[in-house]
Amino acid sequence: VYFGKVRFDIYRKVPKDLTQPTYTGAFISILCCVFILFLFLSELTGFIATEIVNELYVDDPDKDSGGKIDVSLNISLPNLHCDLVGLDIQDEMGRHEVGHIDNSMKIPLNQGEGCRFEGEFTVNKEPGNFHVSTHGATAQPQSPDMTHTIHKLAFGEKVQKVQGAFNALGGANRLSSNPLASHDYILKIVPTVYEDLSGRRRFSYQYTVANKEYVAYSHTGRIIPAIWFRYDLSPITVKYTERRQPFYRFITTICAIVGGTFTVAGIIDSCIFTASEAWKKIQIGKMS
């Protein structure tokens, strides 16, 4: 660029006859290229990967659910006939449903001696319980065996990219328990929101669990055992958000890597070259 007779050039050129290539410079240049390539690939990996950030707040995240929570239950009772197994749901809003059958399936086990219950249903966002029992059976057995294995108990939509207590009771085994005992699982449900890069939200629920096992009696005798899931909702919501490093930050980092590496390498090469020239002069002085 010329301004009148003044030449303006930020990138000044050094004549080739004023430069001197050295083996040390070549070696440092190769190391610089390898180092820059390594850092570039590391930054590129970090740019492509997504970061999951979590936060806590007080709110009902899924206001469009109509005050309902989807529940998925899969449980095996190897010593209780399918004709006796039923699901009952009740809560503080007055719901009391015995023998829920919608979206449920019973699979016989052990030549019909046992049963695997799989069901999907909804519960209100109010404290309540649902329980597996023989309460809905036409005739009550004398000694119902409530030993069981829980394969799955999950609430809301499935979230795969986050490690959490979305299926805290999965794999719970109570086969060695007292056959006549009732089982109480006390659940504290925590609303969870997962938002991906496209802005789509998935509404799920994590939960913590405490349990106890007991044989219940009343003035009329022993109470029919059941498997109780008593739940309550936490007011705290956990939100996971996918984020990716902005492109401008990626470019800035790459420029800093390249420029910084060559600057430091130039300083090192200059120091080595200056020291080498000084040593040569000392050797020539000794010889003379």
Side-chain angles (χ1 to χ4, degrees), residues 170-230:
N173 188 319
R174 300 293 182 268
L175 297 179
S176 60
S177 301
N178 184 343
L180 301 178
S182 290
H183 300 266
D184 260 11
Y185 295 99
I186 296 90
L187 315 177
K188 192 67 172 183
I189 301 175
V190 181
T192 303
V193 183
Y194 186 89
E195 183 176 330
D196 59 21
L197 289 173
S198 65
R200 180 192 172 189
R201 289 186 171 188
R202 293 182 177 86
F203 300 97
S204 186
Y205 297 84
Q206 302 183 64
Y207 62 92
T208 58
V209 58
N211 67 282
K212 63 178 179 178
E213 174 186 332
Y214 59 93
V215 178
Y217 292 90
S218 69
H219 63 279
T220 58
R222 182 170 50 82
I223 297 176
I224 297 175
I227 304 170
W228 299 82
F229 300 93
R230 308 182 193 273

Side-chain angles (χ1 to χ4, degrees), residues 89-125:
I89 307 171
Q90 59 188 29
D91 59 37
E92 293 185 0
M93 294 185 66
R95 181 182 182 183
H96 191 181
E97 184 177 349
V98 178
H100 179 88
I101 59 174
D102 295 337
N103 298 320
S104 62
M105 178 173 55
K106 299 177 184 179
I107 305 172
L109 301 174
N110 302 334
Q111 289 78 42
E113 295 298 323
C115 186
R116 179 166 178 158
F117 178 87
E118 299 180 12
E120 295 183 355
F121 52 96
T122 61
V123 295
N124 293 317
K125 291 183 178 180

Side-chain angles (χ1 to χ4, degrees), residues 63-166:
K63 295 183 176 64
D64 298 329
S65 65
K68 302 288 185 181
I69 301 176
D70 294 326
V71 185
S72 179
L73 175 64
N74 188 331
I75 184 171
S76 292
L77 297 93
N79 301 309
L80 194 63
H81 198 276
C82 280
D83 292 340
L84 302 173
V85 176
L87 177 69
D88 310 326
I89 307 171
Q90 59 188 29
D91 59 37
E92 293 185 0
M93 294 185 66
R95 181 182 182 183
H96 191 181
E97 184 177 349
V98 178
H100 179 88
I101 59 174
D102 295 337
N103 298 320
S104 62
M105 178 173 55
K106 299 177 184 179
I107 305 172
L109 301 174
N110 302 334
Q111 289 78 42
E113 295 298 323
C115 186
R116 179 166 178 158
F117 178 87
E118 299 180 12
E120 295 183 355
F121 52 96
T122 61
V123 295
N124 293 317
K125 291 183 178 180
E126 296 290 338
N129 73 80
F130 51 91
H131 52 277
V132 177
S133 68
T134 62
H135 297 163
T138 304
Q140 293 297 319
Q142 291 295 322
S143 300
D145 188 336
M146 304 307 292
T147 54
H148 61 279
T149 299
I150 301 174
H151 306 288
K152 178 183 179 182
L153 176 60
F155 300 85
E157 298 181 74
K158 187 175 183 180
V159 177
Q160 295 180 330
K161 295 185 178 181
V162 177
Q163 296 294 328
F166 296 98

Side-chain angles (χ1 to χ4, degrees), residues 29-68:
S29 297
I30 294 173
L31 287 181
C32 283
C33 292
V34 174
F35 186 66
I36 289 173
L37 179 62
F38 170 74
L39 292 182
F40 172 78
L41 293 177
S42 299
E43 286 296 324
L44 181 62
T45 303
F47 173 71
I48 295 175
T50 57
E51 178 187 12
I52 299 178
V53 181
N54 63 77
E55 59 181 310
L56 303 176
Y57 60 93
V58 179
D59 193 14
D60 178 9
D62 192 9
K63 295 183 176 64
D64 298 329
S65 65
K68 302 288 185 181

Side-chain angles (χ1 to χ4, degrees), residues 24-25 27-28 31-32 260-276:
T24 303
F27 178 72
I28 294 176
L31 287 181
C32 283
T261 302
F262 276 116
T263 299
V264 173
I267 294 173
I268 295 174
D269 181 57
S270 178
C271 292
I272 295 176
F273 180 76
T274 302
S276 176

